[in-house]
Amino acid sequence: MFEHNDPNRIQLNSSGQLRHFLTTEGLSRELLTEILDTADSFVDMGAKQIKKMPLLRGRTVVNLFFEASTRTLSTFELAAKRLSADVLNLNISTSSTSKGETLKDTLMTLEAMHSDMFVVRHADSGAAHFIASQVTPHVAVINAGDGRHAHPTQAMLDMLTIRRHKGSFEPLTFAIVGDILHSRVARSQIHALRTLGAREIRVIAPKTLLPRHIEAMGVKVFTDMREGLKDVDVIMMLRLQKERMTSALLPSESEFYKLYGMTTEKLAYAHPEAVVMHPGPINRGVEIESAIADGPRSLILDQVTNGIAVRMAVMSMAMSGQVVEKQLQHPSAN
């Protein structure tokens, strides 16, 4: 595990603008709102005949994924291409790291190719922060998920989806349901929701899938799903991360579905206009019933669409923050 203390010392430039995007923790409400506003302006681009704009023209983006991913990798790639960047997807399974090359040597090699941005997914918490601390000053780093720590672009695409459907966060009660223990998504969602003014945040899970001292994050804890869902406005389901479970934390998937799976019967406890979200990939019949996943109250596909817009926003803002910082440090180069 890498150290990731005080991320804002590195992810903001001296003017308070984004130059890396490593976590939602500690970012101001104004900056989170700026990300949402910028992303909102990109949402309709996918419906246009020409799906490109030149904000990253001439820039090189490297998707550096040390963990398997389909949805996140493909949306980052599409986002970069819609901003007109050149994109390199590094296949870690066939890269030099599998031959013993250190992470730092890999980064130096990619920097020698004049890369401008690394999008990083890694199994170790703090890896994106470590990489941001090692790269040369002009290279932006975007965290695409690190261990159990953070998945900030997923959280922000969830925030954008909520804002587009509900308008504001202040009057709403949220429930985050499922594998809280292993979820970097849940942590980033909680930080973002608190900053954006959510009225109440609940987490619902069996005791074995709850982190110790989760209440310290400002959430209410429920182990009974029906009780926890009472009158909530937004339900955010999580994937069971079986690949991170090193011991038997659940009696069985069928038992988990019976107690914590989102079904039509359990949804009836929530507010009549409550919506259901899931970061994907979804496990039907384990975390969620198909009638809900495919039903009118599901926002799952909206989350995917909005993911491209949020990643375009974060990439363009971080690159802009890098340029401003370079101008501040080297004004004679303007």
Side-chain angles (χ1 to χ4, degrees), residues 25-92:
E25 183 178 6
L27 292 182
S28 68
R29 184 168 184 162
E30 290 72 21
L31 189 47
L32 294 186
T33 301
E34 183 183 353
I35 293 172
L36 295 179
D37 291 344
T38 306
D40 220 349
S41 71
F42 292 143
V43 169
D44 294 333
M45 176 176 284
K48 296 181 179 177
Q49 188 173 6
I50 305 297
K51 302 178 177 61
K52 275 189 181 292
M53 58 173 50
L55 292 178
L56 292 187
R57 180 182 291 165
R59 303 290 187 175
T60 300
V61 175
V62 180
N63 287 324
L64 195 56
F65 276 54
F66 294 86
E67 277 189 328
S69 169
T70 301
R71 188 185 312 251
T72 303
L73 175 60
S74 58
T75 53
F76 264 113
E77 182 177 358
L78 265 179
K81 288 180 174 176
R82 287 184 181 175
L83 293 169
S84 305
D86 297 317
V87 182
L88 172 64
N89 292 327
L90 190 63
N91 188 339
I92 297 300

Side-chain angles (χ1 to χ4, degrees), residues 97-152:
T97 56
S98 66
K99 302 173 185 174
E101 185 177 76
T102 66
L103 175 58
K104 190 169 182 176
D105 285 337
T106 298
L107 295 174
M108 291 173 64
T109 300
L110 294 169
E111 285 182 2
M113 300 177 189
H114 302 290
S115 302
D116 298 290
M117 180 178 292
F118 294 147
V119 178
V120 179
R121 168 168 283 200
H122 201 287
D124 290 335
S125 299
H129 185 281
F130 171 79
I131 290 171
S133 71
Q134 297 296 314
V135 295
T136 53
H138 74 279
V139 176
V141 176
I142 310 296
N143 185 2
D146 62 328
R148 299 183 187 182
H149 173 233
H151 197 346

Side-chain angles (χ1 to χ4, degrees), residues 174-235:
F174 297 82
I176 304 174
V177 183
D179 186 358
I180 311 291
L181 178 64
H182 301 99
S183 180
R184 53 199 176 201
V185 174
R187 286 165 178 78
S188 292
Q189 288 172 334
I190 291 169
H191 289 307
L193 286 171
R194 290 192 64 193
T195 302
L196 291 168
R199 181 176 64 186
E200 183 176 318
I201 308 168
R202 304 175 184 177
V203 295
I204 306 172
K207 289 182 180 177
T208 52
L209 292 181
L210 283 168
R212 295 177 63 187
H213 311 304
I214 184 70
E215 299 91 343
M217 294 187 74
V219 301
K220 291 186 177 180
V221 177
F222 293 83
T223 55
D224 184 291
M225 191 165 178
R226 292 169 180 80
E227 182 182 349
L229 287 179
K230 188 176 179 182
D231 299 327
V232 300
D233 301 288
V234 180
I235 303 163

